[in-house]
Amino acid sequence: MRRPTNSAIEQYYFGLFSSHYALPAGRIEYADKPDVILHGERRLGIEIANLYLVDGSDRTSEQVQGHRRDQVMGRAQSLHRESGGRDIELWATFDPCQPVSDIESLARKLAEIAMRVENSAGRVNPLTFVHVPELHSLFHNGEEYEDAKWRPNQGYTVPLLSVDRVRELVAGKTAKAVGYDKGCEAFWLLLVVEYMDPAQDQFIEWPDGAALAKSPFERILIYKPQFGQVVEAPQAAM
């Protein structure tokens, strides 16, 4: 299945946002730099970005680690089958304090462990994989399935909103604002938090007394679509 384009994702979130927030009247134009232009009494540009907990360039970020865990599980299952292993399903929980770096090496270790335990069932004794620090727990039920699939099984806690992370993202968008459509009379920044994505999910209540530095954005709005929550981040006066 082809991944939606960034433009399609932005339009999807803006459509939801417009149903939860009272926008000025006007004609909506989907564009680029900024992502949306609202033609009304004034020309309002709205830039849209997802508010991730950690920048995706960090190898320990959930964006990176989630993908690597999926790769490890898929590769390990292939290796297990190539070695004549049974078509069991296996679930692994990874230790977030031990980021996955070498996908192939970890997959081979996991496939070797699976071969040793495939005829048992239930939670795998941690002593079986004590030599693999990236693994926190393993479980399988011993049954074979035609469409068996190995999966990561992570648990997550939902953190409070990080003002520093919002500042970091606003600073990055501020640096790019010089390239925005000069015909706009004002700009807003819409930061989306997708609660279904553990790389983004967080409480969005703004902490008392905190404020951002003044930016080119008239409003900085944090939006959690599935809950219809919209919070405005205050900015210091000039």
Side-chain angles (χ1 to χ4, degrees):
M1 183 176 179
R2 183 176 298 176
R3 184 184 185 277
T5 63
N6 286 341
S7 178
I9 293 170
E10 290 158 359
Q11 291 181 32
Y12 167 75
Y13 281 128
F14 187 77
L16 292 175
F17 175 68
S18 63
S19 70
H20 291 135
Y21 190 83
L23 290 165
R27 176 176 61 86
I28 294 171
E29 174 191 355
Y30 293 106
D32 183 39
K33 298 181 181 180
D35 301 308
V36 179
I37 297 176
L38 189 62
H39 300 268
E41 288 188 5
R42 59 177 184 161
R43 200 172 188 213
L44 174 64
I46 303 174
E47 180 71 3
I48 303 171
N50 286 81
L51 179 56
Y52 286 94
L53 301 172
V54 179
D55 191 280
S57 62
D58 186 334
R59 73 179 186 89
T60 67
S61 69
E62 185 59 30
Q63 300 96 293
V64 173
Q65 289 298 307
H67 182 57
R68 288 184 180 180
R69 293 183 205 116
D70 287 338
Q71 288 180 297
V72 167
M73 298 302 286
R75 177 60 176 152
Q77 184 175 16
S78 294
L79 291 168
H80 180 254
R81 283 174 171 165
E82 290 169 9
S83 299
R86 300 171 64 235
D87 284 329
I88 60 171
E89 290 199 330
L90 185 142
W91 299 267
T93 302
F94 293 80
D95 186 344
C97 295
Q98 300 288 338
V100 176
S101 55
D102 190 332
I103 293 168
E104 182 68 17
S105 175
L106 182 53
R108 289 188 177 280
K109 291 175 184 177
L110 182 55
E112 184 271 332
I113 293 167
M115 189 64 75
R116 290 162 54 191
V117 304
E118 67 173 0
N119 292 311
S120 61
R123 183 172 178 268
V124 178
N125 188 327
L127 292 177
T128 308
F129 51 88
V130 69
H131 61 295
V132 188
E134 295 91 342
L135 293 178
H136 180 268
S137 65
L138 287 174
F139 179 89
H140 79 91
N141 63 10
E143 297 291 331
E144 288 194 87
Y145 301 91
E146 185 176 341
D147 59 346
K149 186 174 181 180
W150 293 14
R151 298 178 177 87
N153 185 32
Q154 295 300 111
Y156 303 94
T157 57
V158 181
L160 299 175
L161 179 73
S162 169
V163 174
D164 286 342
R165 177 65 183 133
V166 175
R167 287 195 180 105
E168 180 184 341
L169 191 53
V170 172
K173 290 296 182 181
T174 295
K176 296 179 180 179
V178 293
Y180 288 173
D181 188 324
K182 298 299 191 295
C184 293
E185 299 168 71
F187 296 101
W188 291 4
L189 177 59
L190 177 61
L191 302 179
V192 178
V193 172
E194 173 56 68
Y195 100 106
M196 292 294 290
D197 184 354
Q200 299 180 53
D201 192 20
Q202 57 197 289
F203 295 108
I204 66 170
E205 288 76 11
W206 191 261
D208 292 338
L212 304 175
K214 189 64 178 176
S215 77
F217 301 102
E218 181 181 82
R219 291 187 177 180
I220 298 171
L221 302 168
I222 304 172
Y223 174 49
K224 203 166 187 178
Q226 291 82 0
F227 295 86
Q229 289 179 284
V230 182
V231 173
E232 182 166 359
Q235 301 181 68
M238 290 291 288

